[in-house]
Amino acid sequence: MECGKAVSGVVYGLGVGPGDPELITMKALRLLRSVPVIAYPIQDDGTSLARAIVESHIVAGTIEVPIHTPMGERGAAEPGYEQAAVEMMRHLEAGRDVGVLCEGDPLFYGSFMYLLGRLAERHRVEVVPGVCSLTACPAVLGLPLAGRNDVLTVLPGPLPDDRLRRGLAGADTTAILKVGRHLPRIRALLDELGLTGRAHYVERATQAGQKVLPLAAVDTARATYFSMILVYREGHLA
Ligand SMILES: C[S@@+](CC[C@H](N)C(=O)[O-])C[C@H]1O[C@@H](n2cnc3c(N)ncnc32)[C@H](O)[C@@H]1O
C-alpha cells in the first residue's frame, strides 16, 4: 500500500504463521525485532496465540498494545479494535512503527483487516504475508490441497447448511474453517452427503497439541476453534 500520508510511523501487518515458531518469514522476523511497538489480539482469558508464537523473539523494552477481541456476538470485538487503533495512532503520530502480530496470514480471514480499515487512511500500512492454515493443514495431513484445474473451495463452518451444501457440491477439495462448536452439525451434513469417509480433521496444525484424524474418528462433542476439515471429492487426491 503506498504512502502520500502524513509523516508518521508505519503499520506492519506481520503474518507469524500457524503456530510452529519456525514458520515465520525472515521479513516478518526482521520487522518484529526492529519495531518499537507491537500489537496483538488477546482472548477473554488474556492469552494471545500470535504473541505466544513469537514470544522468544520479542526484544526487551518493546512497547506492547494488546487488542481485546472477545469471541461471540458479531461486533463484540469492535470496542477492542477501536481502542487499540487509537493507541496505535498515538504511537504512529509520534513516529513509532507498529508491528501487528497476526496468526497465520494477516489477510486470510485475519482480524488485521479491521485495523487496516481504521489506519490505512492516515498511515502507511505494509502487509507481510504469512504461512496460513490453508497451507499448514494439508502439510501436516500429508495430502495435496489442489492441483491441475481443481476447484478449491473455502467455507467458514458457521455458514448455514444450504451454503455449505452448495459449496461442497462444486468443489474438488473443500476446506472448512472455524469449525469449533459447529462440528456436530458439519459432521451430520457430511454424513448426509456421504462425504464423512472423504473428510480429514486437523486441529492446531504445527502447534503443541496438534491432532490429525479421519473425521469419522473425531469426538464431535469436543470441538476446538483452531481446527479445519478438509474434504476431498470422491476419487480425488486423497
Ligand atoms: C479467524 S481464522 C484465521 C485464519 C488465519 N489468519 C490463517 O491465516 O490461517 C481462524 C480459523 O483458521 C483455522 N486455523 C487457523 N490456524 C489453524 C491451525 N494452526 N490449525 C488448524 N486450523 C487453523 C481454523 O479453522 C480457525 O477457526
Side-chain angles (χ1 to χ4, degrees):
M1 198 158 300
E2 243 337 290
C3 189
K5 321 245 152 130
V7 176
S8 82
V10 179
V11 184
Y12 294 102
L14 303 176
V16 300
D20 178 346
E22 287 190 320
L23 290 176
I24 184 171
T25 64
M26 291 171 76
K27 182 165 186 174
L29 187 57
R30 173 177 60 77
L31 288 165
L32 163 67
R33 297 177 72 105
S34 66
V35 291
V37 184
I38 56 171
Y40 45 79
I42 61 167
Q43 309 303 316
D44 294 335
D45 62 2
T47 60
S48 168
L49 176 58
R51 188 189 186 283
I53 291 171
V54 296
E55 183 156 26
S56 62
H57 300 296
I58 297 173
V59 175
T62 302
I63 300 165
E64 303 196 20
V65 179
I67 309 165
H68 295 267
T69 54
M71 293 280 206
E73 292 299 295
R74 200 186 172 96
E78 283 299 304
Y81 291 121
E82 198 52 48
Q83 204 181 325
V86 169
E87 200 174 338
M88 287 166 66
M89 280 195 248
R90 204 167 43 79
H91 290 295
L92 293 164
E93 275 149 27
R96 290 187 280 276
D97 295 342
V98 179
V100 182
L101 310 181
C102 310
E103 192 262 341
D105 179 86
L107 298 179
F108 180 69
Y109 292 95
S111 52
F112 183 67
M113 67 186 78
Y114 305 116
L115 291 170
L116 188 64
R118 288 178 162 89
L119 300 172
E121 218 170 278
R122 293 175 58 190
H123 301 281
R124 186 169 141 209
V125 180
E126 286 186 21
V127 179
V128 180
V131 175
C132 71
S133 53
L134 188 62
T135 51
C137 289
V140 301
L141 182 59
L143 287 173
L145 182 62
R148 294 173 176 270
N149 295 327
D150 291 343
V151 175
L152 167 66
T153 298
V154 178
L155 297 172
L159 287 177
D161 281 4
D162 62 321
R163 292 282 308 275
L164 295 178
R165 212 179 264 119
R166 267 187 279 142
L168 283 155
D172 295 307
T173 308
T174 307
I176 306 177
L177 278 75
K178 304 184 185 181
V179 175
R181 64 190 168 84
H182 301 281
L183 181 58
R185 182 175 58 86
I186 296 168
R187 168 67 199 267
L189 180 68
L190 293 173
D191 283 350
E192 174 203 311
L193 298 172
L195 286 170
T196 299
R198 318 266 331 146
H200 304 262
Y201 174 85
V202 182
E203 182 174 310
R204 297 190 171 279
T206 83
Q207 300 170 15
Q210 170 183 295
K211 287 197 177 74
V212 181
L213 292 165
L215 180 63
V218 176
D219 175 3
T220 56
R222 42 155 308 289
T224 302
Y225 179 69
F226 280 98
S227 57
M228 184 182 292
I229 296 171
L230 288 163
V231 189
Y232 294 87
R233 175 175 61 75
E234 180 75 46
H236 191 69
L237 294 174

